[in-house]
Amino acid sequence: WSYLPVAAFPFWPKMRLSTLGLGCVALLCLSHEHETDHNRVKYATRATAHQEHKSIVPPLDTIKKPSDSSTNPSIHHTTSKSIQHPTHSTHVSKPASTITTPTNYPTEPSKRSMNGTKSGIAVKDKVLYYNEEPFFIKGVAYSPVPLGDDPLYGHPYGDYFTNEFSAFWVRDMPLLKALGANSIRTYAWNRTRNHDEFLDMAHQYDLKVMITYFLGSTLQTPITSKDDLERVAQDFAKQVYKYKEHPAVLGWSFGNEINGGWNGFIYALDGIFQCGWDPLPTTQGGCTNFDFTNKTSPCVKSLTCLYKALYGWIDRAAYLAHEKLGPENYKLVTSTFADIDMLHLRLAMFGDRFMPNLDFYAGQIYRGKNFGEGEENFLHQVDDSSNKPLAITEYGVDAYRDSCGVCTKEVCHTPCYNTPGNETKGFGEDQRTHAEWVSNLASLLYDAHAESRGVLGGFVMAWIDEAWKTTTHFPTNICADNTKKGKKGGWKYHYPHAKFDPKTCDFKAHVECPNLNIWKPSLCGQYMPAFPDHYLNEGFFGINKVSGVDGTNVNQLEPRLLYAVLQAMWLPRVEPIIEWKSAASAVLMTAAAVTILITIWACQRHFHVRAGVSQRTASDVF
C-alpha cells in the first residue's frame, strides 16, 4: 500500500475497458513507485473558499418554494448527491396524536451489540469486521445518472436502483468488481420502491452498499416541530428495517450533509429549539467557525443548543434504527457531514456526547492532496478526540486543469471565457494529476487504518462524470442575467449575447455558466485553492468518462488513468516470496516434464535403432 505515482504514464491512449489493457497498466503501476511529494498545497475547504466570494445562505423563511411541484429551485451544497426529489421524499404530515415525541434529545444509548451474528458485520476497537475478518472500505460514490438526465427534474429523480434500470448495473458491477472496490455508496433512494434486485446484484459481485436515506433539503423534508423530527426518524427506522436481512447492505446514512446550511435543516432546528444561532462567520461577528476560546461569547450557548438539536435528531434516528435491526442484523448507522464550521471540533465537543447511537463518524473531505497536514490532519483530529471510528464518505479531486484557477498578484482574471473546446495552451483534461492526487488520498486512508487510527476506509468521488451538476440548479459560480426576468430564472442576456454584462458574474465564474445544456460538458464550478489547478470543476470527478449511448440507451464508459491506478492499489496482491516459489515450482515442473519427454523420445529412438540393426543382421545371415 505504498503511494502509487503516475509519473510513469506520460501517455494514456483512449481505450475501452478490457481485461488485457487494464491489467497491463496495473502492472506498470506496480513497477513504478516512489516517495510522496511532501510539499503539498495548503488546504482550504470547499465551504471556506465558497464563503469568501458568495453571500451567506439566507434564513429558511426567505427560501421560496416552487410554484410547480415538478421542479425544484437551486439548492446550495458541495460536491455531493443531495438530490432533490419532492415526489418520493416529502414526508406527509400525520396527526400529532399518532407520534410519540421524546421531550429531550439525545436518547439513551441503544442496547446494540455492534456484532451482528447474522449479518456478519461488527465494530470492535475502531475496526470494522465482516465475517470475523477486518474489512477496510474501498468504496466508490455511485450515482449512475446518464447524460441528458437531470435527477432534480425528471424520473427517476436519481434513483437508478430499481429493476427498470438494471442495464446500468449490468454495465457497472463487473467493472467495479474488476477495479477492486468492495463497497459503493448510493444517494437517491425512493422509499416507496423496491431495490432488492439491485442489492442482489451487488451481493453477487461481493459489493457492500452504504445507502443514503434521502432527506434532500427542508423543501423536500420540511421540519417545523419536534413532531416532524420524530416522524422522519421513525420513517428512517422503517426503511432500515425493510432491508435489515439483506447481506449486501453495509449500513445507512441519515441524510447527506445535513449540517450544511444549504439544506436548510440547521436553520429549521434553530427555529424549533430557539437557539439564537448567528450563521455568519466569526470574522463578521457570527458563530460559524467559533472555536470556543471566548467562554463569555453568546456563541457558546447558541452553538451548544444548535448541535444538541442537530446531533440529537440524528442520534434519535440511529437509536430507532438499531432497535429495529436487533442484535443479529447489526448494520452501520451514521450521518455524513460536510467539512464546515470546524467539523472536527464540533465532533470532539458534541459528537460522543450527543450521538451515542452513531456507529462511526462520516466526513466529506475535500482538502486537496491530503486530509490536512500536521495538527490539521482531519483523520488524526477525529481519532485523538473520539471513541468512534471514522470513514471518509466522499473524497477526491476533479480531472480537469482549468486556466480559470490561475490567480496571482499579476494575473487573476474574472470572469473566465475558457471552455473545454477552447482552452488555454497547457490546460485541459489532466488525468495524470487526477490519478496522482486521488490515489494519494486513498493511500493515506489505508495508512491511517494500518496505523490503528480508527479509519474504516472511504468512498472515492465518483464513479462517472456528472454533467447535470453544471446546470442552473447546482451551486457553481455563475454569471446571472442582468434583466428583471433573469432574477426569476430567465437567461435573456446569457453569454454570448451582445448585452451580456460581466459584472453579473460571481468571482471566477465561467461565462458559460450556468450550463443550460445537460448534454454538454462544461467547466461550471468554483474557485478552490486546495485543488491542483485552484479550481473545482463539478462535472469532471469521474473515475470514468461517459459518452454516447448504446442500444439500451446506456452511456459508454471510458476509464481514466485513475481506474488502473486504483485497481493496482485495491486488488489483492500475492506476496513476492509466494510469487517466487510459484515461479520456481513452475520452472521445476516444466523441466521435469521436458526431461520425461526427452527420456521417452530417447528410449523410443534407442529401441528403434536396435530393431533396425537386428533386421540388418538377419538379412546378412540369409
Side-chain angles (χ1 to χ4, degrees), residues 38 296 522:
H38 295 286
T296 62
S522 68

Side-chain angles (χ1 to χ4, degrees), residues 173-241:
M173 294 286 185
L175 303 180
L176 285 159
K177 175 73 172 179
L179 175 64
N182 60 16
S183 306
I184 55 177
R185 182 189 169 203
T186 64
Y187 292 83
W189 192 264
N190 187 327
R191 60 196 180 94
T192 67
R193 306 187 71 185
N194 186 283
H195 302 90
D196 283 329
E197 291 189 25
F198 167 73
L199 294 172
D200 289 344
M201 182 170 284
H203 183 60
Q204 177 185 342
Y205 284 94
D206 298 320
L207 292 169
K208 292 296 181 185
V209 183
M210 192 76 191
I211 305 170
T212 303
Y213 174 76
F214 180 86
L215 290 176
S217 72
T218 49
L219 295 175
Q220 286 69 55
T221 309
I223 52 171
T224 58
S225 67
K226 292 181 180 179
D227 283 347
D228 289 336
L229 299 176
E230 180 66 11
R231 187 177 301 111
V232 174
Q234 289 187 12
D235 187 75
F236 170 68
K238 291 178 183 177
Q239 278 292 294
V240 173
Y241 178 78

